[in-house]
Amino acid sequence: MSMTSSVDEGYRYRERTLKSQSFMNEASEYMPGGVTANIKYFTPHPIVMNKAKGAYVYDVDGNEYVDYLLSYGALKLGHGHEAITKAIGDQLEEQGTCLFGTPHHYEVEMAKQIKQLYPSMENIRYTNSGTEATLLALRLARAYTGKEGIAKFEGHYHGGFDEVLVSVNPSLEQAGPEQEPNSVLESKGMSERHKNTTITLPFNDLASCEEILRKKHQEIGAVIIEPLQGGFIRASQSFIEGMRQLTKEFGILFIFDEVKTGFRVALGGAQELYEVQPDLTTLGKVIGGGFPVGIVGGRKEIMNITSPSHSADVFDISQSQTSNASDVLFHSGTYNGHPTILACGLATLEVLKKETSDVCNLTSELKTELEHLFKQYSIPMLAVGEGSIFNIVITDKKNISHYRDLQASDFKLRKKMDLRLLLEGIYTKPLNRYSVSTAHTAVEVEKTIEAFRRVLNDL
Ligand SMILES: Cc1ncc(COP(=O)(O)O)c(C=O)c1O
């Protein structure tokens, strides 16, 4: 153990981020925990950022960081890319407003691009977040199949609403048997009924999934999956193909939640990687170019249930005496298909069409170098991921294939390392995955490797 390590990283962290700490003290007077989303919170206190450029973020104490959080993967072009600032200016100048509340051409332009990259998304609808996208996808599945229940996988996240906030990060005491996990509610205030109406499946275990679905398929309308758990743990090819087959056999819609993996594991998402077509797909993050967005898409006959052209919906008061709103699947939102946001999304796509393989190559290089470095320090580590997302898993295992594998990794050491990396100017939220952007270059990779070297040296 070196001299530096005898000084607690918590103490050094507090010393380096004094202004963040006092900001958080003030923020706590106005917002619970000082944050507007629980995900932004961590101990000792979150770092408060106030400037960013390219691959870098700067905190209120003036510290610089290479950013691997990239707002949970959303900023695939990094911060302040000129294509985005130009798209905002051009859209406002050309159209004279940021919002019409009517159909407009960016909606169709984006739909065409999406269909080209994700052929399974024959028809789409826009939402304002990934959460709204999964909400709509599940409503569509219930309407299409007439079945109320859903199934999701242990350790998979699909947004913060009751139906899916089940067994995302369950304690191992509550999680139940590995082959037939319990459905554990993950928040206060949730309805207990989701313990029964949301079935939890074991990821990458086809035989157990088949057994559960065979028993319960009459009550399950949708199986929703992160095709790469957490954006980084790959489903095996045989698992994803097997699940496609089983869901078809049982009359269940298979939903790929590609909010993280879309435009990141490949431009055409996990479905391009696996060459498997889901019934419905949800997208978000990258395709908003840093602004709030979600997209739901899928087979035309499924998506069409939401068309208000064949019957009146809840907003058509004039027809309430002659038809039922419940004949249409309701979907709406003041900001859906926001012109400025879609302009930014389209600009993002243009850049990504040229630069996706560079980002993937750079990520691959970073992963390889990190694994090599950890080996030199005899710390067993896997850099797990595809495309431009990965995570650092400290483990003796040869590979990580599901939630329980991840739970067996050394989170304590990882957290300690992450706090020290923050002191060295490498930013991701402790224990979070790493995302890479087009703004990252070999220079940032080298800085990152050197920072890791210093941290590993001091452990
Ligand atoms: C796979 C997945 N689905 C849904 C969501 C929810 O998206 P949002 O935070 O935009 O509501 C997330 C967010 O991280 C996600 O990773």
Side-chain angles (χ1 to χ4, degrees):
M1 198 179 268
S2 75
M3 286 297 286
T4 12
S5 65
S6 62
V7 180
D8 168 45
E9 58 275 342
Y11 174 78
R12 285 161 59 204
Y13 181 90
R14 284 189 197 88
E15 284 291 290
R16 204 177 126 98
T17 56
L18 290 171
K19 287 188 181 158
S20 278
Q21 171 135 48
S22 70
F23 182 101
M24 287 310 298
N25 290 344
E26 189 190 5
S28 304
E29 301 279 319
Y30 301 96
M31 295 173 286
V35 290
T36 51
N38 287 10
I39 197 165
K40 294 184 188 177
Y41 185 82
F42 63 88
T43 54
H45 56 257
I47 295 176
V48 180
M49 301 296 177
N50 74 346
K51 205 160 174 54
K53 182 75 200 145
Y56 294 87
V57 281
Y58 302 88
D59 71 13
V60 286
D61 288 275
N63 299 307
E64 177 184 271
Y65 305 82
V66 179
D67 186 10
Y68 287 101
L69 184 71
L70 294 172
S71 207
Y72 300 92
L75 297 167
K76 193 160 175 196
L77 305 192
H79 297 274
H81 194 287
E82 60 184 17
I84 298 293
T85 45
K86 183 171 180 318
I88 297 170
D90 288 355
Q91 185 278 322
L92 277 170
E93 196 174 321
E94 276 163 29
Q95 302 200 301
T97 179
C98 57
L99 203 56
F100 292 108
T102 69
H104 60 89
H105 92 96
Y106 285 111
E107 292 179 329
V108 176
E109 211 170 303
M110 177 63 93
K112 286 181 186 166
Q113 294 282 334
I114 294 295
K115 194 169 170 178
Q116 242 174 42
L117 291 168
Y118 296 76
S120 70
M121 298 175 79
E122 294 171 355
N123 269 198
I124 64 159
R125 276 289 177 96
Y126 298 105
T127 65
N128 302 295
S129 65
T131 298
E132 285 178 50
T134 53
L135 252 174
L136 175 60
L138 292 171
R139 177 178 280 184
L140 279 160
R142 271 194 305 274
Y144 186 78
T145 62
K147 296 190 272 183
E148 280 273 321
I150 68 152
K152 70 174 290 288
F153 291 88
E154 188 175 61
H156 291 210
Y157 181 69
H158 304 290
F161 56 99
D162 287 16
E163 208 175 353
V164 290
L165 203 60
V166 172
S167 293
V168 177
N169 189 17
S171 72
L172 291 178
E173 293 95 73
Q174 289 181 297
E178 191 166 325
Q179 278 84 25
E180 193 171 1
N182 294 338
S183 286
V184 180
L185 305 185
E186 299 282 24
S187 169
K188 284 190 171 168
M190 285 175 66
S191 160
E192 288 282 316
R193 78 188 162 89
H194 296 293
K195 283 184 179 167
N196 301 317
T197 53
T198 298
I199 311 292
T200 303
L201 300 171
F203 188 55
N204 270 329
D205 178 351
L206 189 61
S208 300
C209 287
E210 176 164 6
E211 207 165 301
I212 297 170
L213 292 181
R214 218 165 264 294
K215 267 193 285 186
K216 302 196 170 163
H217 66 93
Q218 277 162 340
E219 43 193 280
I220 299 175
V223 169
I224 186 164
I225 189 170
E226 282 196 81
L228 284 88
Q229 181 183 318
F232 61 96
I233 303 174
R234 228 186 136 124
S236 72
Q237 186 68 30
S238 59
F239 179 72
I240 211 94
E241 284 175 6
M243 284 306 298
R244 176 62 286 187
Q245 197 59 35
L246 280 177
T247 46
K248 201 174 262 174
E249 182 187 333
F250 291 133
I252 296 170
L253 294 193
F254 198 20
I255 304 173
F256 274 21
D257 180 358
E258 299 231 41
V259 168
K260 286 192 199 84
T261 53
F263 315 97
R264 276 212 169 267
V265 298
L267 203 51
Q271 48 204 276
E272 179 186 317
L273 207 65
Y274 291 112
E275 297 181 9
V276 165
Q277 299 232 321
D279 299 299
L280 291 172
T281 300
T282 52
L283 299 171
K285 294 195 191 278
V286 170
I287 199 60
F291 293 93
V293 82
I295 304 182
V296 182
R299 293 212 314 274
K300 212 170 181 158
E301 54 162 339
I302 304 170
M303 293 303 296
N304 216 29
I305 309 174
T306 194
S307 167
S309 55
H310 55 76
S311 194
D313 79 0
V314 92
F315 286 138
D316 192 350
I317 309 167
S318 70
Q319 291 193 46
S320 57
Q321 290 169 351
T322 54
S323 70
N324 286 321
S326 59
D327 289 341
V328 177
L329 184 146
F330 183 72
H331 169 237
S332 206
T334 303
Y335 302 104
N336 290 359
H338 192 290
T340 322
I341 298 177
L342 294 187
C344 291
L346 287 163
T348 302
L349 272 185
E350 280 316 299
V351 177
L352 291 183
K353 280 180 187 168
K354 289 181 229 127
E355 298 185 30
T356 288
S357 61
D358 294 343
V359 190
C360 293
N361 291 341
L362 194 75
T363 313
S364 202
E365 201 176 299
L366 177 58
K367 279 158 56 186
T368 308
E369 288 199 34
L370 283 172
E371 284 192 337
H372 183 68
L373 186 66
F374 273 71
K375 211 171 258 169
Q376 284 175 7
Y377 287 91
S378 304
I379 299 174
M381 183 282 268
L382 296 173
V384 185
E386 294 293 328
S388 56
I389 328 181
F390 69 97
N391 212 344
I392 289 171
V393 185
I394 300 172
T395 182
D396 286 322
K397 290 182 186 288
K398 291 274 170 292
N399 70 315
I400 297 290
S401 60
H402 50 63
Y403 179 72
R404 311 268 171 136
D405 280 349
L406 201 56
Q407 286 303 307
S409 70
D410 191 344
F411 289 136
K412 204 165 157 218
L413 180 57
R414 169 77 203 271
K415 172 115 198 244
K416 184 185 176 98
M417 230 180 59
D418 285 355
L419 282 181
R420 291 189 177 200
L421 284 164
L422 289 172
L423 300 173
E424 297 288 344
I426 303 300
Y427 190 78
T428 191
K429 185 187 160 186
L431 300 181
N432 211 271
R433 63 192 177 277
Y434 282 62
S435 296
V436 181
S437 78
T438 57
H440 287 70
T441 68
V443 173
E444 284 71 42
V445 167
E446 198 183 323
K447 270 190 190 177
T448 307
I449 296 296
E450 286 317 307
F452 267 88
R453 194 188 301 283
R454 289 192 293 276
V455 167
L456 294 179
N457 218 21
D458 276 356
L459 279 177

